Amino acid sequence: MGSLDTNPTGLHLPPAAINADEDADVFRPLNSDDVRSYLHKAVDFIADYLNSVESLPVLPDVEPGYLRRLLNPTPPPSSAPFDVAMKELKSSVLPGMTHWASPNFFAYFPATNSAAAIAGDLLASAMNTVGFTWQASPASTELEALALDWLAQLLHLPPSFMTRGVTGGGGGVILGTTSEAMLVTLVAARDAALRRTRRGGLSRLTVYASDQTHATFFKVCHLAGVDQVNVHVIATGPETKYALDAAELRRVMEADVDAGLVPTYVCATVGTTSTNAVDPISAIADVARKFGAWVHVDAAYAGSACICPEFRHHLDGVERVDSISMSPHKWLLTCLDCTCLWVRNTCQLTNSLETKPEYLKNDASESGHVTDVKDMQVGVGHRFRGLKLWMVMRTYGVSKLQEHIRSDVSMAMAFEEWVMADERFEVVVKRNFALVCFRIRARGGDMAEEDADVASRELMARMNRTGKAFVAHTVVGGRFVLRFAVGSSMQEERHVRAAWELIKKTTGEILHGQAS
């Protein structure tokens, strides 16, 4: 392995200063020899783990509390060789892991990763910058802004969402999760509405989402102080293809205004967690504009696909919304945590989130030429997440990232075709992107809808118990539905095919022992 120039500034210290404690038994947590040794072992573990994870049971066969029975219940009073920790990691921790990295993982949504992202995260951890202001770390602040602008360009977001170098323009911030993106934008919308109305307080503010919106939205509303009776959930149905219906949204908003309430915030979704539904952004933005409500677009999962021209239409109308977020840690090969939030006007966030203690004041922050990330998030400390995102885009380029998305969608299309060709199953909602929602089909007299629910639930349980695949479920129209999410970083068509063969075989065993 190569090494950096350890004395780039030409600083020279006398030998006595360097060797003063050479033989002393002094604790040095960043001893260079230890750093090199420990990281070599950690990197070897990572490489071996990724090389073998396909053969490991996706779901662990452990019971709650198992780890406390294997590891010491009290902290160690004295030091131990690093190898001891690595041994316990392998013998005790690893067997209790659900392996999201496994190519046999088809549950929830993927948590993608890549060599470039792992390296970027490792380097960011080593530098350990706490970039709450530009001055605290100019490079991390500016690299994050650059990475966000690059990704915005890949998504063809309007220039109003990009960093302009002065406060009051558009820009973004990399947060940990979608929940944080929703929270900070809802707080900004709340405060703007309170300033605008100047009477009635929080009790008059109303927010809107569909019943397909991620459950975290309702937690965020609680944290922002929105009265739960003013959180309006717009019911969806087959005629709207499980998307937020703009006409119904308008009707509810008009009724709220007539009742003296203030429409404040609408959360639209591109790629809902349950079924991957896509809300009509343009129509929603048109409705919200009439009432002065903030529109936020949650594109956590499916936003990654929109770097491909054939999927970009799902973001049509984004030029008229106030904010949009997406999570490269889901589908764009950038390990957790990495949620990108863009806003049309950074002042809308900083007006609500800014903090100016004396000890953080500096010329750059006061100049108006930078927006400090501490003022666009809940906390003050800020991780160098921009490094891994930049490394992923810089290493793989647009073509490889698009190839990754298209490969996953192609495998999901193949799986959907296999399901539709087997009369024992039905695809419940039209596939979007790389998620297939299916179930065992009810067949009337010999299998009612309720029986199909029971059989589908049993199919999921039996599959997951094998350790050969992991799938999750949702409920659509009151019916139990299996979600098959393609997209793990190491997944190939052979893994999807193997999962399908397991599904067929297990279904045959469930349906009166029929041969698959």
Side-chain angles (χ1 to χ4, degrees):
M1 294 180 64
S3 62
L4 292 172
D5 180 352
T6 56
N7 195 15
T9 62
L11 176 65
H12 295 285
L13 297 175
I18 298 175
N19 300 320
D21 294 321
E22 187 174 56
D23 298 323
D25 186 16
V26 176
F27 175 47
R28 294 187 179 89
L30 284 177
N31 175 282
S32 61
D33 290 338
D34 287 344
V35 169
R36 192 177 301 276
S37 172
Y38 294 2
L39 291 187
H40 269 299
K41 292 172 181 177
V43 168
D44 284 343
F45 171 85
I46 291 168
D48 290 343
Y49 170 73
L50 294 175
N51 193 48
S52 63
V53 68
E54 177 179 349
S55 64
L56 300 175
V58 188
L59 279 176
D61 183 19
V62 295
E63 298 293 334
Y66 92 97
L67 196 56
R68 283 183 173 270
R69 294 189 291 270
L70 297 178
L71 299 180
N72 290 332
T74 58
S78 57
S79 60
F82 182 71
D83 287 344
V84 172
M86 290 300 296
K87 181 179 179 181
E88 291 180 350
L89 169 65
K90 296 173 185 176
S91 65
S92 301
V93 178
L94 195 62
M97 295 294 294
T98 296
H99 298 292
W100 287 67
S102 171
N104 301 310
F105 184 101
F106 300 97
Y108 314 122
F109 278 129
T112 56
N113 211 342
S114 63
I118 294 171
D121 218 26
L122 176 62
L123 291 167
S125 295
M127 288 184 277
N128 203 29
T129 180
V130 187
F132 38 72
T133 63
W134 181 91
Q135 185 186 61
S137 185
S140 68
T141 298
E142 298 201 5
L143 188 62
E144 179 168 322
L146 177 65
L148 285 164
D149 280 356
W150 277 11
L151 187 51
Q153 291 173 64
L154 293 188
L155 295 169
H156 294 281
L157 298 184
S160 56
F161 283 112
M162 298 184 197
T163 303
R164 297 178 177 178
V166 294
T167 56
V173 61
I174 302 181
L175 303 172
T177 65
T178 298
S179 307
E180 295 173 62
M182 286 184 182
L183 179 58
V184 297
T185 53
L186 177 54
V187 166
R190 176 199 67 188
D191 292 353
L194 290 174
R195 289 191 295 268
R196 187 171 68 247
T197 58
R198 297 180 182 276
R199 60 186 178 86
L202 277 172
S203 63
R204 295 178 61 231
L205 305 188
T206 54
V207 300
Y208 309 85
S210 82
D211 57 7
Q212 294 282 311
T213 303
H214 197 284
T216 193
F217 173 73
F218 305 100
K219 176 188 291 189
V220 163
C221 290
H222 177 70
L223 291 173
V226 177
D227 193 324
Q228 291 301 297
V229 301
N230 289 340
V231 179
H232 294 303
V233 180
I234 310 298
T236 57
E239 69 280 1
T240 61
K241 296 182 181 178
Y242 301 99
L244 177 57
D245 182 61
E248 180 63 10
L249 176 64
R250 180 195 296 271
R251 187 194 68 77
V252 174
M253 282 185 159
E254 288 174 344
D256 284 344
V257 171
D258 291 343
L261 301 174
V262 180
T264 300
Y265 185 93
V266 182
C267 184
T269 308
V270 175
T272 61
T273 298
S274 183
T275 63
N276 235 344
V278 176
D279 291 341
I281 296 175
S282 291
I284 290 170
D286 287 343
V287 171
R289 177 181 294 178
K290 297 180 185 300
F291 300 93
W294 182 298
V295 178
H296 174 70
V297 175
D298 168 18
Y301 162 71
S304 295
C306 295
I307 69 169
C308 299
E310 62 267 33
F311 299 116
R312 174 56 180 75
H313 65 278
H314 292 296
L315 294 182
D316 286 353
V318 72
E319 66 279 359
R320 298 199 299 280
V321 308
D322 298 279
S323 57
I324 177 173
S325 63
M326 58 90 72
S327 299
H329 62 236
K330 286 186 180 291
W331 203 10
L332 206 61
L333 302 179
T334 307
C335 53
L336 197 76
D337 54 358
C338 184
T339 290
C340 300
L341 169 66
W342 294 271
V343 292
R344 181 182 302 284
N345 187 337
T346 56
C347 283
Q348 292 178 304
L349 289 189
T350 59
N351 286 342
S352 296
L353 302 170
E354 186 178 60
T355 179
K356 285 189 173 182
E358 186 64 34
Y359 49 81
L360 292 185
K361 290 182 180 178
N362 61 85
D363 290 343
S365 296
E366 300 297 324
S367 71
H369 293 297
V370 299
T371 299
D372 292 329
V373 292
K374 69 177 176 61
D375 299 326
M376 298 180 69
Q377 60 180 30
V378 175
V380 174
H382 192 75
R383 294 185 61 224
F384 193 3
R385 300 184 183 97
L387 180 57
K388 62 185 174 186
L389 179 60
W390 174 80
M391 277 202 157
V392 166
M393 290 188 286
R394 186 67 186 88
T395 301
Y396 301 125
V398 178
S399 60
K400 290 294 185 184
L401 293 175
Q402 289 176 337
E403 178 185 332
H404 155 70
I405 296 292
R406 287 168 176 151
S407 173
D408 290 345
V409 172
S410 177
M411 288 189 288
M413 291 174 64
F415 182 83
E416 181 184 40
E417 291 173 359
W418 299 336
V419 172
M420 291 190 298
D422 191 318
E423 62 180 12
R424 297 174 297 177
F425 302 98
E426 63 176 330
V427 173
V428 178
V429 295
K430 181 177 172 56
R431 177 196 51 78
N432 266 336
F433 310 108
L435 173 70
V436 180
C437 295
F438 73 105
R439 69 194 291 258
I440 293 176
R441 183 192 300 274
R443 289 185 293 278
D446 61 334
M447 179 171 282
E449 294 288 354
E450 293 77 9
D451 298 324
D453 284 345
V454 172
S456 297
R457 187 181 293 274
E458 179 65 15
L459 170 59
M460 182 183 73
R462 290 196 191 187
M463 281 185 61
N464 291 346
R465 281 199 300 268
T466 68
K468 297 177 180 178
F470 178 29
V471 296
H473 78 282
T474 187
V475 173
V476 177
R479 295 304 172 200
F480 186 91
V481 175
L482 280 75
R483 299 172 67 266
F484 191 88
V486 177
S488 176
S489 299
M490 295 189 291
Q491 234 157 47
E492 300 173 7
E493 185 173 337
R494 63 187 177 88
H495 301 109
V496 178
R497 172 72 72 175
W500 172 238
E501 294 299 325
L502 178 61
I503 289 168
K504 291 194 298 178
K505 177 179 182 295
T506 307
T507 301
E509 294 169 352
I510 293 171
L511 299 180
H512 315 296
Q514 298 173 9
S516 58

